[in-house]
């Protein structure tokens, strides 16, 4: 077996999935105009992907361990490629939303197994270097996504951000079958009951939030879906206590670092995903920028992750995860608050650079810190489950963040014109800052640097471990 083939193919698929999530941000305005979508429908083009990704992420890893990682990986890649073509061919927004949900399901099979295949291919002494390169390439895709999306949307059409996946997928699938050996893990069973209840809880709560403005909080539709979602959430917790192989081991939440790190992470990504959902649209609809210019302007926010996150990882052992997580979330809140104060249709771009840099530096500090807090709180044999819970919470946090900020936007603004859009964008981004502050409060509960962990050596998210954060870091 040539390990370089495994590294190259796993990285190619990871880049494709990460890029696909981020390129959509700068295409949203064109999708809205071409398909005549409402704010609700635009939300679902993003949230359908994130929801299916979130609820199937841990199931994908279990299926790979049981039926074969290469088999499930190629199946997920085929599903993702086919769904990408369906997105590009979508004649209307309903088709696009459905295809995005299938894309998310494919991504949930691809992403955890890409890292599992890499971990199986490399011996322990070579694994950190391979996984570090894998994570670095994925991070570059995250940063480049808005620019690539803007360039493709402006130069060709928004459909091509999905067509680009098709030749890559068709080329990679046969190579994976030829070059990557099959491997399996422990072979645990799928928690089907937990999967159904988690899906029902997330869908019900998000549906109620999304529809609350149009249908009204007192409508049967909104009240019914919110109640159903809450019931499913309670039932999920009860089920996890009695399930033979629970999707989420509730005992992990007895560790303060695990519980606080996950809570801070949910608020972090709710704030970030919700804000970036509107930021790319603000540049185009509120300021009149082209899609490419919007992507380039967002680099002041997104590119800092490549500089600040590695530095934060190195500082982790000196100052601890709690300090970096809390400070990072406060900085993100400050940057968003400043944007809310200055955002107008005519504000010069240079005035927005410092707030975006501050917000980007903050999230780049908080991302590795919250994950480090989670991973350091558990024993070595629990790292896989802990990482799965964190990444699932991250995706669900992003879904709820988009829904909450869109609700605020709908109450105060609209797409009628630049001033109307900015009138909704400013309070929405301010609420994003408030969510980040809530995350900072949660981060203060993370144990200090000298606190005892659950009997394992400390790690940081800068360590290229097989459980590092592998999803889109700064995407809607």
């Amino acid at each position: 077996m040539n390990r370089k083939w495994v590294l190259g193919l796993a990285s190619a698929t990871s880049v494709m999935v990460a890029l696909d999530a981020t390129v959509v941000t700068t295409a949203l305005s064109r999708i809205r105009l071409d398909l005549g979508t409402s704010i609700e429908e635009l939300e679902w083009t993003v949230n359908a992907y994130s929801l299916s990704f979130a609820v199937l992420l841990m199931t994908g890893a279990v299926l790979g361990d049981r039926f074969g990682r290469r088999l499930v990986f190629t199946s997920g890649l085929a599903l993702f490629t086919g769904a990408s073509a369906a997105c590009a061919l979508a004649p209307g927004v309903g088709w696009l939303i459905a295809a995005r949900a299938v894309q998310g399901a494919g991504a949930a099979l691809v992403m955890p197994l890409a890292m599992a295949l890499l971990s199986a291919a490399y011996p322990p002494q070579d694994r950190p270097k391979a996984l570090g390169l894998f994570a670095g390439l994925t991070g570059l895709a995250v940063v480049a996504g808005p620019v690539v999306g803007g360039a493709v949307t402006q130069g060709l059409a928004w459909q091509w951000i999905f067509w680009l996946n098709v030749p890559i997928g068709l080329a990679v699938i046969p190579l994976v079958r030829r070059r990557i050996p099959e491997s399996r893990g422990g072979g645990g069973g799928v928690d089907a009951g937990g999967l159904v209840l988690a899906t029902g809880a997330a869908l019900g709560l998000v549906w109620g939030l999304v529809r609350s403005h149009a249908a009204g909080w007192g409508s049967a539709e909104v009240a019914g879906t919110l109640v159903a979602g809450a019931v499913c959430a309670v039932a999920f917790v009860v089920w996890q206590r009695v399930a033979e192989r629970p999707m989420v081991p509730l005992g992990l939440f007895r560790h303060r670092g695990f519980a606080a790190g996950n809570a801070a992470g949910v608020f972090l990504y709710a704030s970030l995903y919700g804000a970036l959902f509107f930021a790319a649209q603000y540049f185009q609809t509120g300021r009149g920028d082209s899609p490419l210019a919007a992507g380039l302007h967002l680099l002041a926010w997104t590119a800092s992750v490549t500089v600040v996150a590695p530095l934060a990882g190195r500082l982790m052992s000196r100052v601890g995860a709690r300090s970096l997580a809390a400070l990072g979330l406060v900085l993100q809140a400050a940057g968003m608050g400043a944007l809310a104060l200055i955002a107008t249709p005519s504000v010069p771009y240079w005035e927005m650079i410092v707030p975006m840099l501050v917000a980007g530096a903050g999230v780049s500090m908080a991302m590795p810190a919250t994950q480090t807090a989670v991973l350091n709180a558990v024993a070595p044999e629990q790292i896989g489950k802990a990482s799965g819970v964190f990444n699932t919470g991250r995706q669900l946090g992003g879904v709820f963040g988009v829904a909450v900020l869109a609700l605020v936007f709908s109450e105060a603004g609209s797409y009628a014109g630049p001033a109307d859009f900015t009138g909704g964008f400013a309070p929405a981004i301010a609420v994003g800052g408030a969510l980040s502050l809530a995350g900072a409060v949660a981060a203060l509960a993370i144990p200090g640097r000298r606190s005892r962990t659950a009997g394992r050596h400390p790690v940081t998210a800068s360590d290229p471990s097989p459980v590092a954060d592998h999803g889109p870091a700064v995407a809607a």
Side-chain angles (χ1 to χ4, degrees):
M1 175 187 61
N2 190 331
R3 296 190 183 99
K4 292 182 179 179
W5 274 104
V6 181
L7 175 60
L9 293 171
S11 298
T13 55
S14 176
V15 166
M16 181 175 67
V17 172
L19 192 65
D20 187 82
T22 57
V23 295
V24 174
T25 57
T26 41
L28 288 173
S29 293
R30 290 291 176 88
I31 291 173
R32 178 180 63 84
L33 294 173
D34 286 357
L35 299 183
T37 66
S38 65
I39 180 65
E40 295 176 19
E41 292 166 332
L42 207 60
E43 285 178 73
W44 283 114
T45 64
V46 173
N47 282 345
Y49 179 93
S50 297
L51 269 175
S52 59
F53 194 157
V55 298
L56 292 173
L57 183 64
M58 297 182 72
T59 298
V62 172
L63 290 174
D65 286 344
R66 184 174 183 180
F67 297 107
R69 292 165 178 160
R70 186 185 67 182
L71 173 63
V72 177
F73 178 78
T74 53
S75 299
L77 186 55
L79 191 64
F80 185 89
T81 303
S84 297
C87 288
L89 293 169
V93 68
W95 181 306
L96 178 60
I97 292 170
R100 287 283 286 166
V102 178
Q103 257 197 323
L109 299 180
V110 168
M111 290 302 292
L113 294 177
M115 301 192 79
L117 288 168
L118 264 180
S119 299
Y122 281 83
Q125 65 271 20
D126 297 329
R127 196 175 296 154
K129 183 178 179 181
L131 289 165
L133 181 58
F134 172 88
L137 291 172
T138 304
L140 289 176
V142 167
V143 173
V147 179
V148 173
V152 172
T153 299
Q154 183 173 325
L156 296 170
W158 63 264
Q159 289 87 347
W160 280 94
I161 66 175
F162 300 113
W163 280 126
L164 291 176
N165 297 327
V166 176
I168 298 174
L170 293 177
V172 169
I173 289 172
L175 288 173
V176 169
R177 293 181 60 84
R178 289 177 55 191
R179 300 288 183 175
I180 297 181
E182 186 60 279
S183 63
R184 287 178 171 82
V190 175
D191 180 12
L195 177 61
V196 171
L197 291 171
T199 303
L203 184 59
L205 294 173
V206 173
W207 187 282
L209 287 173
V210 170
R211 290 288 296 155
S212 60
H213 177 72
W217 286 103
S219 67
E221 176 189 1
V222 171
T225 53
L226 288 175
V227 169
V231 170
C232 285
V234 173
F236 174 78
V237 174
V238 173
W239 173 254
Q240 295 304 284
R241 291 182 178 275
V242 299
E244 183 179 355
R245 294 185 177 90
M247 180 187 297
V248 178
L250 298 181
L252 293 178
F253 286 92
R254 297 191 186 99
H255 303 299
R256 186 156 59 96
F258 181 86
N262 273 292
V266 168
F267 281 114
L268 164 68
Y269 289 104
S271 172
L272 176 65
Y273 283 36
L276 290 181
F277 174 79
F278 283 107
Q281 296 184 73
Y282 165 72
F283 282 117
Q284 296 175 70
T285 304
R287 286 172 41 89
D289 293 341
S290 67
L292 177 57
L296 291 171
H297 287 162
L298 280 173
L299 283 176
W301 197 330
T302 61
S304 60
V305 70
T306 61
V307 177
V308 179
L311 294 176
R314 296 188 188 100
L315 285 172
M316 205 79 65
S317 59
R318 297 182 182 179
V319 302
R322 178 174 63 188
S323 299
L324 283 176
L327 177 60
L329 283 157
V330 168
L331 288 176
Q332 179 176 244
M336 290 182 181
L339 287 174
L341 292 174
I342 66 174
T344 66
S346 58
V347 61
Y349 173 68
W350 65 266
E351 291 186 16
M352 305 180 69
I353 292 177
V354 171
M356 287 194 291
L357 286 174
V358 170
V363 74
S364 300
M365 294 168 61
M367 280 193 300
T370 52
Q371 181 163 298
T372 294
V374 170
L375 300 185
N376 277 349
V378 302
E381 64 272 15
Q382 297 173 315
I383 292 178
K385 282 283 189 181
S387 179
V389 172
F390 179 85
N391 284 292
T392 299
R394 182 196 66 196
Q395 293 292 334
L396 289 176
V399 169
F400 283 101
V402 171
V404 170
L405 266 65
L407 176 61
V408 175
F409 172 87
S410 298
E411 295 291 340
S414 70
Y415 288 103
D420 299 280
F421 185 89
T422 305
F425 171 74
I429 202 78
V431 170
L435 290 173
S436 191
L437 282 179
V441 173
L444 293 176
I446 295 172
R449 183 166 59 93
R450 288 189 170 88
S451 297
R452 295 178 63 183
T453 65
R456 60 178 302 260
H457 67 281
V459 301
T460 70
S462 63
D463 295 334
S465 69
V467 293
D469 189 0
H470 54 261
V474 283

